């Protein structure tokens, strides 16, 4: 009992996983599409949707065989129904609807961003009775949000980006520097050997909303630095720019964590989203010596994946608001906590 098959197709990862009781991962298969989007330097929605159509079935078969269970053991289908790209969402939802209909089991709709936050709760050490309420941070390609997590399913948004998401800023900076897509890991690699003090980049503070972020100006500062090099940008400057940009981006995260984590109501700090793959980010947070424990997602749950979808769905099994029907549509701009 308690086995849920989850489907993720909000952007360019086609993923299917089977998770038991919200935490035990029986299989977690992700098929990447980087090859078709790389020449464009970003995700092309129409191409992503078509590739999801091709990849869903083999991904599904792999996930079922790795879990080594019969479809009869699966209690519900879960699907990320927003936020995300319309075409890719439609493909995943239709696949989910077909499975739910033919197997005669419920269909549960999951908010992709909420699932990113849940991914850190899937670590064995996390205990919701001990570690909630928590301060949550979503650091992904589409979102940068600070969230109060009262319990699973109950959240209050306390800050977000005014413009670019942090992952988006990494991707745009990488593109400016002629690095490969996706840009986040490339910037991290270059930054390793760069001088983070070389460029005085800074992400601005928002005066009337101290918990909000802004990364667009930081990206523009990188653009100016590149222009000033007058076309003679060498490997050393690329490394220094990456290191200085990364430092400034993480300064802005660290600053907010420092002040918010001191508030007594938070018992832990939870991170989610693709940028949590970054080792320098983890190192900086761990060296802060906070009074509360921090939880990062396990490595295979940082980037878009279906285990976080199937895991979170376990907590929504009896929530009528999460149940989808054959008429349900994707929610491209799904607000947090709906
Ligand atoms: O959570 P995710 O897989 O997708 C969204 O929901 O957006 O996050 C993808 C984002 C991309 O912007 C990617 O560049 C960034 O995560 N990313 C990183 C690293 N690995 C992935 N950013 C910084 N450092 C990394 N190592
Ligand atoms: Zn994501």
């Amino acid at each position: 009992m308690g086995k849920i098959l989850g489907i993720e197709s909000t952007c360019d990862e086609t993923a299917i996983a089977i998770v038991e009781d919200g935490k035990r991962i029986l299989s977690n298969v992700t098929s990447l599409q980087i090859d078709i989007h790389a020449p464009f330097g970003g995700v092309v929605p129409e191409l992503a949707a078509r590739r999801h159509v091709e990849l869903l079935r083999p991904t599904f078969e792999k996930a079922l065989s790795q879990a080594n269970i019969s479809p009869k053991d699966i209690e519900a289908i879960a699907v990320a129904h927003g936020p995300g790209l319309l075409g890719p969402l439609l493909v995943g939802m239709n696949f989910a609807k077909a499975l739910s209909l033919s197997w005669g089991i419920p269909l549960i709709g999951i908010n992709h961003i909420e699932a990113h936050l849940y991914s850190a709760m899937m670590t064995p050490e996390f205990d919701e009775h001990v570690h909630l309420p928590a301060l949550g941070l979503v650091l992904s390609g589409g979102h940068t949000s600070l969230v109060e997590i009262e319990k699973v399913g109950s959240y209050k948004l306390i800050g977000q980006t005014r413009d670019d998401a942090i992952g988006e800023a990494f991707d745009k900076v990488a593109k400016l520097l002629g690095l490969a897509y996706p840009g986040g890991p490339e910037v991290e690699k270059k930054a390793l050997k760069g001088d983070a003090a070389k460029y005085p980049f800074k992400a601005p503070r928002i005066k009337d909303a101290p918990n909000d972020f802004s990364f667009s100006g930081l990206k523009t500062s990188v653009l100016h630095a590149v222009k000033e090099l007058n076309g003679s940008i060498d490997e050393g400057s690329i490394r220094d720019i990456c290191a200085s940009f990364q430092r400034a981006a993480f300064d802005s995260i660290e600053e907010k964590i420092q002040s918010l984590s001191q508030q007594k109501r938070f018992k832990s700090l939870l991170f989610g989203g693709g940028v949590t793959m970054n080792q320098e980010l983890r190192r900086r947070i761990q060296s802060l010596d906070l009074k509360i424990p921090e939880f990062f997602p396990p490595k295979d749950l940082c980037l878009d994946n279906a285990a976080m979808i199937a895991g979170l769905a376990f907590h929504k099994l009896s929530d009528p608001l999460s149940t989808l029907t054959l008429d349900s549509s994707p929610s491209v701009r799904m607000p947090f906590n709906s």
Side-chain angles (χ1 to χ4, degrees), residues 80-97:
H81 67 132
L85 302 168
L86 181 61
L89 282 168
L90 276 169
V91 176
M93 280 186 77
N94 284 339
F95 195 84
K97 286 176 185 175

Side-chain angles (χ1 to χ4, degrees), residues 16-141:
I16 302 213
I18 299 169
V19 176
E20 187 170 15
D21 295 340
K23 260 195 183 181
R24 207 162 82 82
I25 298 173
L26 306 181
S27 64
N28 183 22
V29 182
T30 303
S31 305
L32 297 175
Q33 307 187 356
I34 291 173
D35 56 332
I36 57 164
H37 302 293
F40 301 94
V43 177
V44 183
E46 175 66 21
L47 294 180
R50 286 166 192 243
R51 190 51 77 89
H52 283 308
V53 173
E54 292 163 9
L55 290 174
L56 267 169
R57 182 154 187 157
T59 310
F60 164 74
E61 278 162 5
K62 212 166 158 187
L64 256 192
S65 87
Q66 278 184 10
N68 199 19
I69 55 165
S70 144
K72 287 199 298 292
D73 299 329
I74 293 172
E75 193 177 329
I77 304 296
V79 64
H81 67 132
L85 302 168
L86 181 61
L89 282 168
L90 276 169
V91 176
M93 280 186 77
N94 284 339
F95 195 84
K97 286 176 185 175
L99 278 181
S100 145
L101 185 66
S102 66
W103 290 352
I105 54 177
L107 178 59
I108 300 167
I110 294 294
N111 180 315
H112 176 88
I113 305 304
E114 185 184 351
H116 269 308
L117 269 184
Y118 181 74
S119 63
M121 298 191 209
M122 292 177 79
T123 50
E125 304 78 33
F126 184 84
D127 178 348
E128 58 186 282
H129 303 293
V130 178
H131 297 121
L132 292 181
L135 173 64
L137 251 128
V138 182
L139 305 172
S140 76

Side-chain angles (χ1 to χ4, degrees), residues 80-235:
H81 67 132
L85 302 168
L86 181 61
L89 282 168
L90 276 169
V91 176
M93 280 186 77
N94 284 339
F95 195 84
K97 286 176 185 175
L99 278 181
S100 145
L101 185 66
S102 66
W103 290 352
I105 54 177
L107 178 59
I108 300 167
I110 294 294
N111 180 315
H112 176 88
I113 305 304
E114 185 184 351
H116 269 308
L117 269 184
Y118 181 74
S119 63
M121 298 191 209
M122 292 177 79
T123 50
E125 304 78 33
F126 184 84
D127 178 348
E128 58 186 282
H129 303 293
V130 178
H131 297 121
L132 292 181
L135 173 64
L137 251 128
V138 182
L139 305 172
S140 76
H143 292 79
T144 309
S145 315
L146 268 167
V147 185
E148 266 183 46
I149 310 172
E150 200 57 48
K151 54 182 192 206
V152 179
S154 172
Y155 315 91
K156 190 171 153 216
L157 188 66
I158 53 176
Q160 59 189 324
T161 182
R162 294 288 178 104
D163 37 59
D164 293 349
I166 183 166
E168 184 182 359
F170 268 85
D171 293 335
K172 286 179 174 168
V173 163
K175 205 169 176 178
L176 276 175
L177 296 170
L179 304 177
Y181 160 85
E186 298 302 313
V187 171
E188 180 180 12
K189 259 186 251 157
K190 297 286 180 198
L192 275 177
K193 290 188 180 158
D195 174 5
K198 183 82 185 213
Y199 293 88
F201 299 145
K202 197 162 172 35
R205 282 201 190 103
I206 316 280
K207 247 200 192 147
D208 54 339
N211 293 332
D212 277 359
F213 302 91
S214 167
F215 294 105
S216 160
L218 180 57
K219 173 199 66 193
T220 309
S221 312
V222 171
L223 176 66
H224 290 314
V226 172
K227 279 192 176 150
E228 269 168 32
L229 288 165
N230 256 334
S232 65
I233 188 158
D234 56 12
E235 180 65 16

Side-chain angles (χ1 to χ4, degrees), residues 301-330:
L301 303 185
C302 292
L303 296 166
D304 287 351
N305 67 87
M308 64 182 189
I309 306 296
L312 177 57
F314 179 70
H315 299 266
K316 310 265 177 180
L317 277 172
S318 51
D319 171 10
L321 291 177
S322 299
T323 306
L324 300 183
T325 66
L326 293 181
D327 296 330
S328 301
S329 318

